Amino acid sequence: MRREKRTQVDEPARLHPNSWSSIEVRVLDLSPNGFRAECEAQVKVGSHVTLELEGAGPASARVTWRRGNRFGAKFDVAIDLSSCSWTPLCDQVVLSRMLFDRVEAHRSGQFGQELELRRKILGALPVRPVAGAEPRPRQSGGRP
């Protein structure tokens, strides 16, 4: 399971699945060790690719997973994000993307992923608990 923080972006990029061609992808998030992107092409899990990073140049990676038109890859060598010129997304855009991803997870029957997204969404909501609104403990033996 991934533990590092990813920077949410929404940037077009060129991905080279081999030495003689490239495809357009949309990078959705990025960390020093990997990225998540989407594209119409069928990128194969286990394949080596090269992602052109705006401001940082090409970075080689291995595709580690794919679901529908989205995939994730791990960089062969960690990158320095400070040299990348992509702009992180604001919190509202990140939250709306998670809501959309949760709906897609539900539709495709990926209920574990849906629950994980629900947890992230609840943690990202810009709300504070209201004093006195905490749930009351149930009394044993009596009616609620």
Side-chain angles (χ1 to χ4, degrees), residues 95-111:
L95 182 58
S96 67
R97 182 182 285 167
M98 284 191 295
L99 290 165
F100 177 79
D101 288 348
R102 182 177 177 218
V103 169
E104 290 300 311
H106 179 79
R107 283 186 187 156
S108 62
Q110 297 172 341
F111 299 114

Side-chain angles (χ1 to χ4, degrees), residues 43-112:
V43 180
K44 292 184 179 180
V45 172
S47 63
H48 283 281
V49 297
T50 301
L51 179 67
E52 292 181 22
L53 295 164
E54 186 70 34
S60 61
R62 179 183 288 271
V63 177
T64 56
W65 62 268
R66 187 177 131 238
R67 284 183 213 98
N69 64 347
R70 292 189 178 179
F71 66 95
K74 183 178 185 331
F75 292 122
D76 294 337
V77 176
I79 63 165
D80 179 10
L81 289 182
S82 66
S83 61
C84 185
S85 60
W86 287 337
T87 305
L89 295 177
C90 68
D91 292 342
Q92 291 86 358
V93 174
V94 172
L95 182 58
S96 67
R97 182 182 285 167
M98 284 191 295
L99 290 165
F100 177 79
D101 288 348
R102 182 177 177 218
V103 169
E104 290 300 311
H106 179 79
R107 283 186 187 156
S108 62
Q110 297 172 341
F111 299 114

